[in-house]
Amino acid sequence: MAPDKNSVAAGKKLGNTKHWSNLGYNAEALWGECQGSDLYQVRIELSSLALSCSCPSRKHPCKHLLGLLLIAAETPSAIPEQEPPTWVREWLEQRAAINERKTATEQKRQEQQADDPNETRKKRAAKRQTQVEQGIEHLDLWLEDLVRNGLGSLETRSTAIWEQQAARMVDAQLPGVASRIRSLIAIHNAVPDWPIRLLTRLGQLALLSQAFQHIEQLDANLQEDVRLMLGWTLEETEVSARGEHLSDNWLVLGQIQEETPRGRTQRTWLQGEQTQRSALLEQFAATGLSFSKVIPTGVCWQGTLVFWPSASPQRALIEAHSGPTSSITDALPGNATIEEFCKTVAATLARHPWRYRFLCTLCTVTPVFDQATNRWYIRDKQGQGLPLKASEGFWQLLAISGGHPLDLAAEWDGEFLTPLGFLSEGKYHIAERAA
Amino acid sequence: MDAFIATAIIGTGQQSDQAISTGTPVDALAEQLEQSSTERKLLLMAGAATVYHLAGYTAHTGLEIPTPAEAERLPACSPEIARYIGSMLEEKQQELLPEFLAQLTRSELRLPFDLLFPALTYGTRHKDIREALIPTLGQRGQWLGQFNSAWSWVKEQNDEPSEDIETQWQEGTLAQRVQTLYRLRAIDADKARLWLQEVWKQEVADARRKLLATFAVGLSPADEAFLERALDDLREGVRVTAASLLTRLPSSALVQRMTARADTMLSYQADDLLKDAVLSITLPEEIDEAWKCDMPGLKSQDATRKAQWLKQTLAAVPLKHWIERFSISLADLTSSVKKSEWHSEIIESWLEAALRDNAYQWILQLLNCSWEQAREIGQLDAAYYQHIIERLPQELAERSIIHFMTLRSSWPWTTLPRWTMSLSALPKPWSKDFSQWYLQELKKHAQGLLADKKWDPDWYQGLELAALSVHPSCLDQAIISWDTTDNIHFYGEHLLENVQELVLTRQHLYEEFKAIEKSPL
C-alpha cells in the first residue's frame, strides 16, 4: 500500500516503538504520536481503514502511517487497548459527520434526478444512442478497411492511426472502444507476432460491435456488459441500487498497478472465503495524484461487496466492512488443479466472451524455474503448468517455496500468470514486482 | 489457421474470393452469419476464435519439480532484526552488515526466506561480504543458489570437503583445488607438497602462485627445497610468493644468505665516552645476480634502488639477530639509527621483520621511532600505518593508536596526519576500554572545534567510525547530544544525523539480539 519504495524504507524505520508515544487502540481506531521534526498525530479508523496523519507530507499513506501499521502488524503487544485521546475522538466524530453529510447529499441528488422530467432524460438518451450508432457504424467501416488492405500494410504506418480512431470514438460517446483502440499502440510493430495479436483484438472489437447491433437478443446482464465495454458508466449509487450485494469473509489477495498515458490504474483482487467468488476493485489516479482509497492487501475482513451488473460479475466496490481486519493465514479457497481452473475460465467466457482477466487461485502448486529456457512456471500436483510472465523474476516465490508446494493467487490473462501473493506455512506473502 | 492469418495480413482485397477457415468449430458458427462481407466475416471469426482458444487453453506438461530444499537446522531471526538487515541489503547503513551477519551466526540464527533473494543479489555484487553471508543463508539459501549461475559462489565457498579429496584435487576448479590444498596442508603438509610437486610443471603461472601460497599453512623446513626451486620460476609472482614464504623460515638458506649480506651493510659502534652509538650503513654499488634472485619483485633501477636493496635485505633478517649480534636492547638499536640518512628504510624493514615473526613486543617501540621521524620531517604516510595496524592483534593495535593519538597533540596543525585511516584498520567492534577512551577524546576535540567553528574532516569521519565501531556496551555513550546551534558546519549537521542513526540502529539491534539471549555482548 506504500506509494513508492522510498516510503517503504522510511516506514520501516518508523516501525519501531522507540519513535512513538501514546500508542493505543480500541474497537474503532488505532493511534499514536510520532516524533519527527514535529510531533505528528497518526490515526487509523479500523472499519474503513481510513488513514490520517498531521504531517505535511503529500504522500499517502505517509511514512508515519506505514510505521504505525508495521508496529500493529509485527508487535501488536506494544499497543495497549485504551480509551482514545481527544484528538482521536474528535477525528472519528468528524468522519461520522462527513459520512452523514455525504449520504444526505446523495439522497438529495437522487431525489432531484427523480424529479427531472422524463422527457429531458429521454431526449438525452436518444441523442446518445444516435451518436453511438453512428460511431459503431464508423468503427465497422474502419475495421473492415484494415483487413481489406491487410494488417501487413500497417507495418509502414505510424501508430497515430490508432490515436486518431480513438479520438473519433470518444466523440461518438464510445470511450470504452477508444480505450481498446489505444491499447493497440502497444502491440503495433512492438512484438514479433504483432499481426496475430492485432487480429485477435480487432476481432474482439468486431464481436463487440456485433453484440451492440443485436443487443436486444442478449441476456439483460450481458447487455449491461456490452454497454459498459462500449463506454457507458454507472455511478456508484446506481451500482449499489442495481448490483448484486454479496457478504463474505473477503481475502484481499493482491494488487497490480499499471501506468497509462493519463495516469495509473490499480486492480485489487479479492476472493470470498465461503462463496469463493472473485471480485476486482479498480481505481484510477491521474498523473501525480495518489489513489483515493488505500486498500491493504494480504488481509481478510468480513464485509459486503456490490458488483457491477454483469453476466459474469467481476468488478465490485466495497459497501461495508463489518468486522476486524486480520492477516490471511488459512489455505486459499482456490482450485485444486490447473485443469479445474481452466474449466472455470471456459465457463466464464461462455457467459462473458470479452473477459480477458481472471483471478487464478491454485492450491498446492510448486514454482518451477526452467534454467534451459529461462522461463518460470507454476506446476500443480497433476504435473500441468501455467507460465509466469516472462518479464518478471520470481526468486522470492522460489525462495519461500523451497521446492515445496504452496497456495498461489495470480491474475491470468490467457497467456501468463502475474502472481499477486502466495501462502506458505501459514503466512501470506504479497508477490514482489520487478522495479 | 495459418491460411486464415495470412489472409488477414495480406488483406482480403488481395485474395481471390475463397472460403476462409480457422480450422476450428468457429467455422460452423460463421456459416450461420447473416449476409456479411468477407471482411466482416473474417473479423468476427477472428474474435470468436480468440474466445475459443482462451477457453480451450492447454496447460504445459513435462515440468520437473526440483528436489525440495532440506529442512532448516537454525531458526530464522526475528522480524525486527530481519527488517534492519533487509534495509542493509538495500545498501542503507550497509556498513553495519558484516557486524550483524556475524552476530546472526554467533546467535545461531539465519535469514528468513524472504531475505534470501536480496542477500544473494547483494553477495553477488559485494564479494567481500560473502564469507559472512553464507552461514546465514541456511539450507534454503544453499538450495536457491543452484538456480542462478551468478550465485555459484554460494556453493563454491561452502563446499564441504569431498570424501574423495583427491578427486577434488584432480578434477576441481582452481578455487576448489586451492581450498583442497589449504585443507590438506593443515592435515598433512608433506602430502600436500608432494601433490603439488607432481603437477607443478603443468600448472599455469597464476595457478602456481595461488597453490604455492597454501604453504603458509603448516610451513616447515621440509618445504624449503621446493620453495628454493620456485625462486627460479619464470613468473615473478611465483618467485615473490616463494621468497615471502622462505623468509618465514629462519633456518632457511635464503634467510642465511640475506643475513650474511645484511651483516656487510650494518655495523654498530658505541662511543662510551660520549654515551652515544651509531649504526653505520654501507651499501654496495652493485649487487650480484644471486642477490637479485633472492629479492624478486625489485622494480627500480634508478637512484632508489639502493634503498630497496637495503629494505628487502633487512626485512628478510629476524630482528633479534641484530639485538643478539650487537648485544644491545632494541631501544639502543633504534636510537643508533636516528641520525642515519637511511633511518626510515631501516625502521620500516625492522617493522616488517617484527610483524612477520610475530615479535609484537618490539612493534610499539618501532612505531614510535617511525612517528617521531615523521613528525620531524612533517610528513606521515597514513596508508602505510593503516597497513601495519591491520596486521596487529587487536589489543596491540588499539594501544598503538592510543599512543599515536597522544603524540599527535604535539603535531603542528598544518601537518596533522589523517589518523582516521589507522582507526579504520582496527577490527570491529573496538574493545570496551578503547571505545570509552575514544569517545572521551572525541568529545574533548569536538568542543574545541565547535567553539572555533573549525571544519575538520578527520573529526567527522572519526565520529562516523566510532558510530560503527564502539563496543556495544558503549553505544549509550555514543549517543551524544551535541550543542551545535549556529556552530556547526552545514555539511556536519547531515553527518551528525547519519551518525546518530547508525548508533541507534546498532543499539536497537543489540537489544533485539539480547532479547534472544543466545550470545553475550
Side-chain angles (χ1 to χ4, degrees), chain A residues 88 210 252 393:
Chain A
V88 174
Q210 187 80 354
V252 188

Side-chain angles (χ1 to χ4, degrees), chain A residues 9 12-13 15-16 18 70 74 140 143-144 147-152 195-196 199-200 202-204 206-207 209-210 213-214 338 342 345-346 349 353 355 366 368-369 371 377 379 383-387 395 398-404 412 414-415, chain B residues 4-5 7-14 33-34 37 39-40 42-44 46-48 50-51 54-55 57 59-69 79-80 83-84 87 90 92 113-114 116-117 140 143-144 146-149 151 501 508 511:
Chain A
K12 280 179 181 176
K13 272 190 187 172
N16 187 299
K18 298 263 176 201
L70 265 172
E74 295 189 352
D140 285 345
L143 286 171
E144 288 170 28
V147 293
R148 187 175 303 109
N149 296 326
L151 301 182
I196 301 168
L199 181 63
T200 299
L202 296 175
Q204 287 177 314
L207 275 181
S209 149
Q210 187 80 354
Q213 291 170 56
H214 297 86
I338 287 173
C342 288
V345 169
L349 287 167
R355 189 66 83 217
T366 312
V368 172
F369 177 52
Q371 285 178 283
Y377 298 88
R379 183 194 187 273
Q384 291 201 319
L386 291 176
W395 298 111
L398 192 62
I400 290 171
S401 155
H404 301 281
W412 172 246
E415 272 189 283
Chain B
F4 180 82
I5 293 167
T7 303
I9 293 174
I10 296 167
T12 55
Q14 313 297 324
L33 281 172
E34 300 154 0
S37 62
E39 291 75 29
R40 186 76 180 162
L42 187 146
L43 283 162
L44 291 173
T50 300
V51 181
L54 262 176
Y57 181 86
H60 291 250
T61 53
L63 297 168
E64 300 236 352
I65 301 181
T67 308
E80 187 80 355
R83 193 169 37 254
Y84 277 111
S87 281
E90 289 173 4
K92 297 176 184 66
F113 299 147
D114 54 5
L116 288 177
F117 174 53
R140 190 68 59 92
W143 175 85
L144 198 61
Q146 66 180 307
F147 292 101
N148 189 336
S149 56
W151 301 336
E501 281 187 21
H508 293 160
E511 281 167 7

